[in-house]
């Protein structure tokens, strides 16, 4: 039987490897260490001291796991729960408490690199026709799929080609140019990941000084909402207005400093990101000409660029600096609120819009936004224009990225995702096959054929091993 399988699948004669993904968490050991740490610090278990508190954002109750803003919070250990749930907490204040562990285990079979060459070539058929079709169709694990795809094309030094194919298709299938790239798709997730890969060092260089400055500052130094400034009712109306005016000036100064850093480092943007911006700009202009609309109307061209540079690059890093490895731990709530207002202002400027009455406390910033808008347009024109030789030199070295990417492993992940959507691909192939000589038919047939082959090869490998 084994010989028969090897006769059917010659690739089985080549050694395959497998890798296991799992998490081992010795929670008992950790709890013991925490208990010993508590003893060294002489923490005596005691009852919780609960008080009714309005939290800064939605938090989960430690008992029922439901979210709420208004909860009872312990002044000792900080645990939060609904008032009706607080009597059901099973651990005392000052103890290690409980730890919930969630882990995932999977096993993948990885064949030799050459086995996946036809599969990769099939994905590239007819300007990535299968990937363009799946752009808005893939909803589950879209981020993981796009990450695996981009790592494959980064390894193959084919990033700009796949980005251009996805961008052109997304723009063509967006009915309203004002909202292009504003929703999540395979295109937006892929570009988002590539910008994080190529632009992390640049992002840290631009944002870290501003983030450190905000985190070291006093609380509420940028807060412009009077209800938050005087949340404890300890200021008079006149004193509250004075604090709001002072915070307004502080917020404007920090925004000015941040924008100055962004504008001053425009030549240091990695070449890979600038090439992506150039592709987006050229594609938007070409589609606008096809539709007979003015690309400058409603700043469509600029908004399509800021959908990535600011909406998915600068501003998320300001909102969650620890997730971008710009800080070792999340900032304090007061600093996080300041950076939220900073990101809100920068994003509104990038959207070429102004604050409305919905956030009336931010209306004083509109004059600042109006003054900065011409500079923002100049900046976007520069980063999306063809590069000179000096700008082309600012590129992330390809060997630096290649060392961290295992191409067969990433193609295995792509194959796994395509298996999940194979019925969708087959249905579309049956639909377009009724049309005479549809240009995408061969592309879909090749991809489905390769997906089936690798699936059968994996099954045969498992049988030979067992």
């Amino acid at each position: 039987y084994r010989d028969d399988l090897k006769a059917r699948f010659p690739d089985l004669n080549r050694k395959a490897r497998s890798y296991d993904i799992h998490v081992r968490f010795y929670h008992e050991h950790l709890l013991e260490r925490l208990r010993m740490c508590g003893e060294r610090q002489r923490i005596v278990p005691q009852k919780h001291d609960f008080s009714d508190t309005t939290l800064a954002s939605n938090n989960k109750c430690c008992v029922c796991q439901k979210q709420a803003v208004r909860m009872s919070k312990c002044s000792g250990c900080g645990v939060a729960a609904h008032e009706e749930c607080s009597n059901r907490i099973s651990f005392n204040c000052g103890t290690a408490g409980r730890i919930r562990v969630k882990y995932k285990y999977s096993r993948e079979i990885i064949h030799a690199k050459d086995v996946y060459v036809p599969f990769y070539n099939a994905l590239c058929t007819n300007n990535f026709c299968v990937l363009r079709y799946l752009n808005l169709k893939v909803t589950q694990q879209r981020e993981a799929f796009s990450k695996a795809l981009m790592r494959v094309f980064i390894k193959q030094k084919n990033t700009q080609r796949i980005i251009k194919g996805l961008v052109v298709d997304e723009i063509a299938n967006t009915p309203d140019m004002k909202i292009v790239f504003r929703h999540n798709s395979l295109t937006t997730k892929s570009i988002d990941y590539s910008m994080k890969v190529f632009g992390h060092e640049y992002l840290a260089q631009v944002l870290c000084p501003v983030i450190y400055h905000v985190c070291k500052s006093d609380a509420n130094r940028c807060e412009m909402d009077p209800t938050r400034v005087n949340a404890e009712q300890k200021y008079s109306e006149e004193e509250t207005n004075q604090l709001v005016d002072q915070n307004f000036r502080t917020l404007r100064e920090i925004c000015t400093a941040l924008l100055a850093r962004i504008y001053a480092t425009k030549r240091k943007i990695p070449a890979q990101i600038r090439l992506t911006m150039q592709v987006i700009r050229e594609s938007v202009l070409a589609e606008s000409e096809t539709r007979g609309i003015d690309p400058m109307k409603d700043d469509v061209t600029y908004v399509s660029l800021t959908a990535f540079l600011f909406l998915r690059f600068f501003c998320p890093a300001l909102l969650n600096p620890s997730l971008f490895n710009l800080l070792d731990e999340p900032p304090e709530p007061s600093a996080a609120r300041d950076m939220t207002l900073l990101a809100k202002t920068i994003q509104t400027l990038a959207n070429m819009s102004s604050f409305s009455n919905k956030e009336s406390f931010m209306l004083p910033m509109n004059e600042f936004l109006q003054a900065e808008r011409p500079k923002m347009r100049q900046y976007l024109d520069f980063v999306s224009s063809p590069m000179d030789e000096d700008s082309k030199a600012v590129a992330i070295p390809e060997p630096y990225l290649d060392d961290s990417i295992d191409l067969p492993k990433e193609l295995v992940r792509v194959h796994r995702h395509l298996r999940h959507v194979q019925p969708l691909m087959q249905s579309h192939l049956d639909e377009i096959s009724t049309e005479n000589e549809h240009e995408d038919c061969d592309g879909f047939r090749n991809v489905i054929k390769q997906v089936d082959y690798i699936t059968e090869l994996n099954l045969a490998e498992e049988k030979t091993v067992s």
Side-chain angles (χ1 to χ4, degrees):
Y1 179 70
R2 181 183 177 91
D3 294 337
D4 179 61
L5 284 175
K6 288 192 173 184
R8 289 177 55 201
F9 300 100
D11 287 318
L12 285 177
N13 296 316
R14 309 171 68 176
K15 187 176 180 180
R17 57 194 169 103
S18 66
Y19 69 94
D20 299 334
I21 305 174
H22 59 279
V23 177
R24 293 181 179 176
F25 196 93
Y26 298 101
H27 61 282
E28 294 180 356
H29 296 172
L30 178 60
L31 289 175
E32 180 65 18
R33 293 284 297 275
L34 290 174
R35 185 187 64 77
M36 294 172 60
C37 179
E39 289 178 354
R40 286 198 298 269
Q41 297 179 9
R42 297 181 181 179
I43 299 176
V44 180
Q46 57 188 352
K47 292 184 178 180
H48 294 281
D49 182 17
F50 283 110
S51 60
D52 199 16
T53 307
T54 301
L55 304 176
S57 59
N58 282 351
N59 284 262
K60 286 186 178 181
C61 170
C62 69
V63 178
C64 67
Q65 298 298 308
K66 294 181 179 179
Q67 291 185 337
V69 175
R70 195 80 179 173
M71 284 193 188
S72 295
K73 185 175 181 180
C74 176
S75 59
C77 63
V79 66
H82 297 108
E83 182 178 359
E84 59 273 17
C85 296
S86 59
N87 295 328
R88 294 191 285 132
I89 296 179
S90 59
F91 56 90
N92 293 324
C93 184
T95 60
R98 296 180 299 176
I99 296 178
R100 294 191 176 190
V101 180
K102 180 180 181 181
Y103 65 91
K104 179 181 179 181
Y105 174 86
S106 66
R107 177 182 173 87
E108 300 287 357
I109 296 176
I110 306 176
H111 301 280
K113 179 180 177 181
D114 294 344
V115 174
Y116 300 100
V117 171
F119 177 51
Y120 172 77
N121 293 335
L123 291 175
C124 300
T125 303
N126 195 20
N127 195 22
F128 315 98
C129 61
V130 173
L131 299 180
R132 288 187 289 109
Y133 169 73
L134 296 175
N135 183 29
L136 297 176
K137 303 294 189 298
V138 177
T139 55
Q140 294 183 349
Q141 298 185 333
R142 180 193 291 129
E143 188 167 355
F145 185 26
S146 60
K147 179 180 178 180
L149 273 178
M150 290 310 298
R151 288 175 67 83
V152 167
F153 287 104
I154 288 173
K155 183 73 173 182
Q156 296 295 89
K157 298 178 176 59
N158 205 7
T159 314
Q160 294 305 315
R161 186 183 166 201
I162 176 64
I163 286 178
K164 184 174 182 179
L166 292 175
V167 163
V168 171
D169 185 75
E170 171 121 350
I171 294 174
N173 288 288
T174 302
D176 187 357
M177 296 287 286
K178 297 178 184 178
I179 60 172
V180 66
F181 304 128
R182 291 287 156 167
H183 53 270
N184 289 327
S185 64
L186 200 59
T187 303
T188 57
K189 288 295 184 181
S190 298
I191 297 178
D192 182 20
Y193 177 75
S194 69
M195 291 180 69
K196 289 176 182 176
V197 169
F198 293 118
H200 180 265
E201 292 185 4
Y202 165 76
L203 192 67
Q205 180 184 358
V206 175
L207 296 186
C208 279
V210 177
I211 292 175
Y212 294 158
H213 172 71
V214 173
C215 289
K216 292 179 181 179
S217 302
D218 297 332
N220 294 328
R221 63 190 310 268
C222 294
E223 184 57 70
M224 294 179 59
D225 188 351
T227 60
R228 287 177 177 265
V229 172
N230 197 21
E232 298 179 1
Q233 302 293 325
K234 62 180 181 180
Y235 301 120
S236 65
E237 183 177 354
E238 183 179 355
E239 290 174 332
T240 301
N241 292 334
Q242 290 177 354
L243 286 173
V244 169
D245 291 339
Q246 179 182 340
N247 293 347
F248 160 68
R249 290 190 293 269
T250 303
L251 177 60
R252 186 174 57 186
E253 290 172 2
I254 297 177
C255 287
T256 302
L258 174 59
L259 289 171
R261 292 189 64 82
I262 292 175
Y263 299 155
T265 57
K266 61 184 180 182
R267 291 187 176 274
K268 297 182 180 180
I269 299 178
Q272 292 92 337
I273 294 180
R274 287 199 56 185
L275 285 171
T276 300
M277 296 300 105
Q278 184 180 341
V279 166
I280 293 173
R281 183 186 183 94
E282 291 174 352
S283 302
V284 169
L285 291 175
E287 183 65 22
S288 299
E289 183 178 354
T290 301
R291 299 188 187 188
I293 61 177
D294 183 6
M296 295 296 107
K297 184 179 180 182
D298 298 321
D299 294 307
V300 170
T301 304
Y302 296 124
V303 172
S304 65
L305 298 172
T306 60
F308 293 104
L309 269 178
F310 288 87
L311 182 63
R312 295 180 173 89
F313 192 56
F314 286 124
C315 291
L318 289 172
L319 293 171
N320 298 290
S322 59
L323 295 181
F324 285 75
N325 295 321
L326 303 181
L327 287 179
D328 293 333
E329 56 186 21
E332 295 295 326
S334 58
R337 173 63 179 172
D338 289 345
M339 283 192 283
T340 297
L341 294 174
L342 178 60
K344 187 190 296 289
T345 303
I346 299 300
Q347 185 60 57
T348 303
L349 172 62
N351 290 342
M352 303 297 166
S353 59
S354 302
F355 290 107
S356 62
N357 291 327
K358 183 179 180 180
E359 295 176 307
S360 58
F361 62 90
M362 294 294 290
L363 289 176
M365 290 297 295
N366 283 342
E367 184 178 350
F368 169 80
L369 297 178
Q370 186 68 26
E372 288 289 332
R373 207 159 286 151
K375 297 179 185 178
M376 176 60 71
R377 291 193 178 99
Q378 292 176 4
Y379 168 77
L380 295 173
D381 286 335
F382 178 85
V383 299
S384 61
S385 61
M387 295 183 293
D388 52 25
E389 293 302 321
D390 293 338
S391 299
K392 291 179 181 178
V394 186
I396 302 299
E398 298 292 346
Y400 168 78
L401 298 172
D402 288 350
D403 292 341
S404 63
I405 297 177
D406 185 342
L407 182 60
K409 182 187 290 187
E410 300 303 332
L411 284 168
V412 165
R413 291 170 176 167
V414 173
H415 168 262
R416 183 173 68 244
H417 290 294
L418 290 180
R419 276 191 63 194
H420 293 158
V421 295
Q422 186 170 354
L424 191 63
M425 294 190 295
Q426 185 63 55
S427 175
H428 183 67
L429 175 61
D430 295 340
E431 181 181 339
I432 63 177
S433 295
T434 58
E435 304 176 18
N436 294 329
E437 298 183 1
H438 193 284
E439 57 182 3
D440 289 346
C441 286
D442 290 340
F444 274 82
R445 290 193 187 99
N446 289 337
V447 170
I448 293 174
K449 178 181 177 181
Q450 291 302 319
V451 170
D452 286 337
Y453 174 76
I454 295 176
T455 301
E456 294 178 3
L457 190 62
N458 291 342
L459 294 174
E461 179 70 31
E462 291 179 353
K463 290 178 180 179
T464 57
V465 171
S466 61

